[in-house]
Amino acid sequence: YIDEKTGLELNMDMARAARLEEMEFMRKIQLFEEVDETECYERTGKAPVTTKWVDLNKGTVVAPDIRCRLVARDFKPRGDKDREDLFAATPPLECKKILFKKAIMNQEQCRRGGHERLKLMFIDVKKAHLNGVLKADEYVYIELPQEAQAEGRCGRLKRWLYGMRPAASAWEADYTEKLGQLGFRRGRAAPTVFYCKELQVRGVVHGDDFTFLGYKKDLLVVE
């Protein structure tokens, strides 16, 4: 077990435990359904997408915090250059700067009295790209690792896995739908900028990081 970033050897027992924890989580959210490999060949005419473990020590050498992530090796075939469904937007840096400036301006107004204090809320969504759900008629199969203990079988994805190219755009569609249910509208120029008129909350999304500006009671609704 080797750290993907540093190349240093990882504690074997801790790495094994981290991999099993990741497998348990994927089964809990029903990320895939175990099927015979023959189904994959019948449906797609090719082998399942290969996978690999990305093992990292998020802590230190003295106090290790080992995280393991199963990643699909979904290589780009010819003809996919202009596929819009593979695109995931990122916000201009100015969008977050505007939220911070509005918060600072509000602090000045509060000092003068008569204004409720605006607050910033930061949310980091763990394992964000696993939230994107495949459509019923989408058949995507992955190679299952040794830790799955499923020899001769593969996984038909129910949710997109890290490394699958549509995962980022599916995650974007997922959080956009959920924010829309709260009354948020997307920005016209930047689709990762949101505003809810009813709650008076503004938000910017960068990957799996959410930044919101609003009054506390309204932010709690969003949270």
Side-chain angles (χ1 to χ4, degrees), residues 14-58:
M14 294 180 71
R16 284 177 176 170
R19 288 189 179 188
L20 290 175
E21 181 184 0
E22 183 74 355
M23 288 302 306
E24 183 180 347
F25 176 81
M26 289 190 289
R27 284 198 168 101
K28 181 180 178 181
I29 65 171
Q30 298 181 342
L31 184 114
F32 61 85
E33 173 189 4
E34 285 187 20
V35 297
D36 289 332
E37 287 188 356
T38 53
E39 179 181 319
C40 173
Y41 285 99
E42 290 171 358
R43 288 282 188 183
T44 67
K46 54 186 178 182
V49 176
T50 59
T51 57
K52 64 170 289 188
W53 284 106
V54 174
D55 306 317
L56 292 169
N57 180 10
K58 296 279 189 176

Side-chain angles (χ1 to χ4, degrees), residues 205-220:
V205 186
H206 188 191
D208 55 6
D209 294 315
F210 292 73
T211 304
F212 292 103
L213 176 70
Y215 299 113
K216 183 177 180 179
K217 58 181 176 58
D218 300 318
L219 292 176
L220 291 175

Side-chain angles (χ1 to χ4, degrees), residues 114-133:
H115 287 273
E116 186 179 352
R117 190 178 296 274
L118 286 170
K119 294 186 178 292
L120 285 162
M121 179 172 70
F122 304 93
I123 296 178
D124 178 14
V125 179
K126 294 182 178 179
K127 306 179 190 294
H129 283 187
L130 303 184
N131 283 284
V133 179

Side-chain angles (χ1 to χ4, degrees), residues 28-203:
K28 181 180 178 181
I29 65 171
Q30 298 181 342
L31 184 114
F32 61 85
E33 173 189 4
E34 285 187 20
V35 297
D36 289 332
E37 287 188 356
T38 53
E39 179 181 319
C40 173
Y41 285 99
E42 290 171 358
R43 288 282 188 183
T44 67
K46 54 186 178 182
V49 176
T50 59
T51 57
K52 64 170 289 188
W53 284 106
V54 174
D55 306 317
L56 292 169
N57 180 10
K58 296 279 189 176
T60 63
V61 176
V62 178
D65 179 17
I66 298 176
R67 310 282 182 88
C68 299
R69 179 177 289 176
L70 186 66
V71 176
R73 293 188 278 199
D74 186 22
F75 300 112
K76 179 180 176 182
R78 293 179 180 177
D80 273 358
K81 183 176 67 172
D82 299 321
R83 277 182 56 184
E84 291 186 2
D85 61 317
L86 302 181
F87 174 78
T90 55
L93 182 59
E94 289 76 13
C95 295
K96 280 196 177 183
K97 286 183 177 180
I98 290 172
L99 293 187
F100 300 151
K101 286 180 179 179
K102 282 184 174 291
I104 293 169
M105 290 169 62
N106 172 257
Q107 301 301 309
E108 292 295 328
Q109 293 169 343
C110 288
R111 290 190 186 98
R112 301 190 192 105
H115 287 273
E116 186 179 352
R117 190 178 296 274
L118 286 170
K119 294 186 178 292
L120 285 162
M121 179 172 70
F122 304 93
I123 296 178
D124 178 14
V125 179
K126 294 182 178 179
K127 306 179 190 294
H129 283 187
L130 303 184
N131 283 284
V133 179
L134 277 76
K135 298 175 183 176
D137 59 350
E138 288 183 300
Y139 294 91
V140 181
Y141 299 85
I142 60 164
E143 171 188 86
L144 293 177
Q146 182 181 352
E147 288 78 6
Q149 297 181 340
E151 188 175 351
R153 296 171 71 79
C154 63
R156 180 193 170 188
L157 289 181
K158 299 294 185 180
R159 296 173 177 268
W160 290 108
L161 179 65
Y162 298 110
M164 299 300 298
R165 287 168 298 128
S169 56
W171 160 238
E172 183 180 316
D174 183 72
Y175 71 69
T176 298
E177 179 185 355
K178 287 178 171 58
L179 288 174
Q181 292 169 0
L182 280 175
F184 280 90
R185 296 183 63 183
R186 300 178 82 171
R188 293 179 183 177
T192 50
V193 175
F194 294 85
Y195 175 63
C196 179
K197 185 176 181 180
E198 181 181 348
L199 295 175
Q200 293 290 297
V201 174
R202 291 173 168 83

